[in-house]
Amino acid sequence: MSVSPPLRTMTVWCPDWPVMAALEELRPDAPVAVLENNVVLACSPAARVDGVRRGMRRRDAQARCPELVLAPSRPDADARAFDAVLEAVEELSPGVAPLRPGLCALRVPTRFYGGEAEAAAVIAERIVSLGVWDVRLGVADGLFAAEQAARRAAPQDVVVVPTGGSGDFLADLPVEVLDDPELVSLLRRLGLSSLGAFARLPQSDVHTRFGTHGALLHRLASGGDPHPISRRQPPPELVAALALEPPLSLVEPIAFSLRTTAERFVADLAGHGLVCTAVRIEADVDGVVSSSRRWAHPRWFGTADLVDRVRWQLTAQPAHGPVEAVRLVPEVVEPLGDHADALFGPGADEQVERGVARVQSLVGHDGVVAPSVQGGRGPASRRALVTWGERADGVRPAARPWPGQVPAPAPATVYREPFPALVVGAEDQVVGVDGRGGISCPPARFRAQQGDPWQRVAAWAGPWPVDEQWWDEAAARRVARFQVVGVDGSAWLMVVENGQWWTEARYD
Amino acid sequence: MSVTSLDPVRSELLAELQQKVERIQSGPTAEPVATHPALSGLLQLRAGGVYGVDAASAALLLAAGPSLAGAWCGIVGVQDLGVEAAQTYGLQLERTIVVPEPRERWLEVVAALADVVDLVLVRPPGPVRQGEAARLAARLRKRGAVLVAWGEWPRCDARLTVAGTRWEGLEQGHGRLKARRVRLEVRRGAAPPRERELWLPAADLAVRPVEAEQVRRVEAVPDPVRVVS
């Protein structure tokens, strides 16, 4: 009886993944740091040269590298960007388990590529072709050792830990790689600075002293891996096909014969707990696809819906000859559970999410936003529009006091870009505001935007000076706001900055 | 073949009949939809209806009614949305979907949203063709969604316009905008317009009708002064 070889794990690591997304909009050699909770989460090579490190406070990072570009952390966007890498790896080898943006694991496809290093080279080449030049791979028995191996690999290279050699490989590493600050600090104080030293402790003693969690980390340190990687299930074969013998040219008989196929299609999906919300219908003539079209359904396809779609498609784009085969290819399938709610209640939110997904397919992911009110002084800065489905990062709390904010009621129209306005006194001289908050003359007439007719001022108030972020040269703003009502009853919020009037909002 | 031109009375009659037919055809689906309490007795939204408005505050007020009652709202093509004002009028932002720039695909976006939300507020970027409007109206009736069209729209069930505005609280050089009285007019086909005075909003930021004893007509506004220099 032969012992089956242990399953080997490969990890693919793209270092500083959060920075990659941020760098796309800047020069590749720009110093960039991605911040989370005011602490550097990741930084670009240029920033690292200047001494910026992961875990550093923002102020320290800026002190080392004054021209550092700071970007907020956007985990959702990172994960979305990493999908391209996952798909590329999945093309080469099935069963990829994403661990976090920038890191994924898979079983090593040794036999097909003729070796572990060869397989790694193929995968690295594929990822580099996506434009991700810094990719590192590691191969080991377990996930933990494989990740550590990838971290010690050169760019576009692989470190292979031989079978059974995980313990030896890990022994020299510092205890910090365990990523548990509390335990690491304790081990350091106990004089255990390497994983090897930690691994040499008897397992029962570790369990007594550090509990289950400590015992788990002890097993990691000694090269045993408790986590088998969980693979994504390949989707089941759900395409339903109907072969027509002899081929038919009339639409009605085709639709009639298709009924049982459509029933089987819906039943197969239901057997997997799925429903189909988008389907591609293909019809073959003389062995080639002559008619193909994608159909989406606001809820999901039933048998009658599918037969209708086939009938519509074949009527709208008639085949060139007798149809030999019709195929129903599910393009989007969703769990039945998401839709089952609708039987008992409105099930609104799930449906809304689906509707939004459809709108996003029309106008792009960033085209749909969720509105909210955030803290700020001007009406435009109090408006927060967050891309639908993303977490609202960087939204300022509205409940705090914001001294100098424009008093309620809020304007119903807040212009995205303020446009130049003109406010003049009785002698047609532009109204100015001096440094002490005085005005040069009372406003008499105004023009809210170029091209508008001049209007007499019926009532006005101001200036309300705002001196924002004087400590930051780039963001500092000294403005004075006015409320102006014209004789036609229209009310405006205007702002003076450096002698120039702008219309910010309209109370309409 | 000659076409006899219709005299105005007959064409008006025709329009009225057309509306009646439409109302009967849309019969069972035209269930009442929750409307903002300040508008009760003036305008009742109905499922599948199209309502025209001419100002941001009127549009947001119409959207606020269903939103307050727990419905989802979609806002399409409004880049300059005053989010805070919308909240003041009662729009529930957590149940609001905004598509600020749908560009030329705005009609598809409205149709897609109408499938899943109860009210869509749209500001069309250009003139709307009769055919497009009719197709969309059919879809709205089927789905039981309400459309609030901000701007020109062919054939609305009703049109809500802000006929007069007066701000209170602002003086010459002091005070601040505190409350606003507006005169809202609802036009429904050829019927005479109905109107009501509303605090939009009142000094305590509530939206409510002006009490009977306080009703003084907001004076007709003069034309903006044109200065020739």
Side-chain angles (χ1 to χ4, degrees), chain B residues 36-40 42 181-182 196-200 202 206-212 214-215:
Chain B
H36 197 284
L39 295 174
S40 69
L42 183 70
R181 287 174 67 150
V182 296
R196 171 180 295 176
E197 286 210 5
L198 230 60
W199 287 111
L200 190 66
V207 178
R208 57 169 176 263
V210 177
E211 280 81 19
Q214 289 183 338
V215 171

Side-chain angles (χ1 to χ4, degrees), chain A residues 155-169:
Chain A
Q156 304 183 13
D157 203 357
V158 62
V159 167
V160 178
V161 179
T163 308
S166 294
D168 297 337
F169 168 72

Side-chain angles (χ1 to χ4, degrees), chain B:
Chain B
M1 201 173 103
S2 70
V3 181
T4 51
S5 65
L6 297 167
D7 57 288
V9 180
R10 273 186 67 189
S11 67
E12 220 167 79
L13 191 72
L14 257 181
E16 211 172 303
L17 280 174
Q18 231 161 16
Q19 273 200 337
K20 258 187 194 164
V21 169
E22 261 178 32
R23 214 173 304 153
I24 291 164
Q25 274 177 346
S26 60
T29 60
E31 287 164 11
V33 172
T35 312
H36 197 284
L39 295 174
S40 69
L42 183 70
L43 176 66
Q44 173 65 57
L45 297 182
R46 289 191 179 274
V50 180
Y51 300 88
V53 293
D54 67 340
S57 48
L60 293 175
L61 189 63
L62 281 187
S67 185
L68 273 171
W72 279 80
C73 290
I75 300 183
V76 180
V78 184
Q79 296 180 14
D80 306 326
L81 179 69
V83 172
E84 211 175 359
Q87 200 180 31
T88 310
Y89 297 156
L91 194 72
Q92 303 297 302
L93 298 180
E94 67 276 8
R95 285 196 300 272
T96 303
I97 303 161
V98 183
V99 185
E101 278 182 281
R103 300 214 176 81
E104 71 279 3
R105 315 199 70 171
W106 66 272
L107 204 65
E108 290 167 72
V109 171
V110 171
L113 278 178
D115 284 348
V116 290
V117 305
D118 306 271
L119 183 141
V120 183
L121 163 59
V122 61
R123 189 170 194 184
V128 185
R129 284 201 295 276
Q130 284 272 4
E132 292 172 339
R135 268 206 307 277
L136 187 60
R139 186 140 180 184
L140 290 166
R141 271 201 297 277
K142 198 169 155 211
R143 293 275 163 213
V146 177
L147 183 76
V148 175
W150 177 3
E152 288 303 313
W153 194 271
R155 227 190 265 170
C156 298
D157 288 293
R159 182 162 273 284
L160 184 70
T161 52
V162 177
T165 303
R166 199 178 65 214
W167 278 96
E168 303 201 339
L170 198 67
E171 309 281 339
Q172 291 291 329
H174 56 92
R176 62 175 176 86
L177 295 176
K178 280 183 187 143
R180 170 167 68 160
R181 287 174 67 150
V182 296
R183 200 171 76 239
L184 288 183
E185 259 183 23
V186 176
R187 287 176 187 276
R188 208 179 256 287
R194 301 163 72 180
E195 57 180 56
R196 171 180 295 176
E197 286 210 5
L198 230 60
W199 287 111
L200 190 66
D204 57 358
L205 298 184
V207 178
R208 57 169 176 263
V210 177
E211 280 81 19
E213 66 268 24
Q214 289 183 338
V215 171
R216 264 187 336 235
R217 276 182 70 91
V218 176
E219 289 76 24
V221 292
D223 283 335
V225 182
R226 277 169 211 281
V227 175
V228 184
S229 55

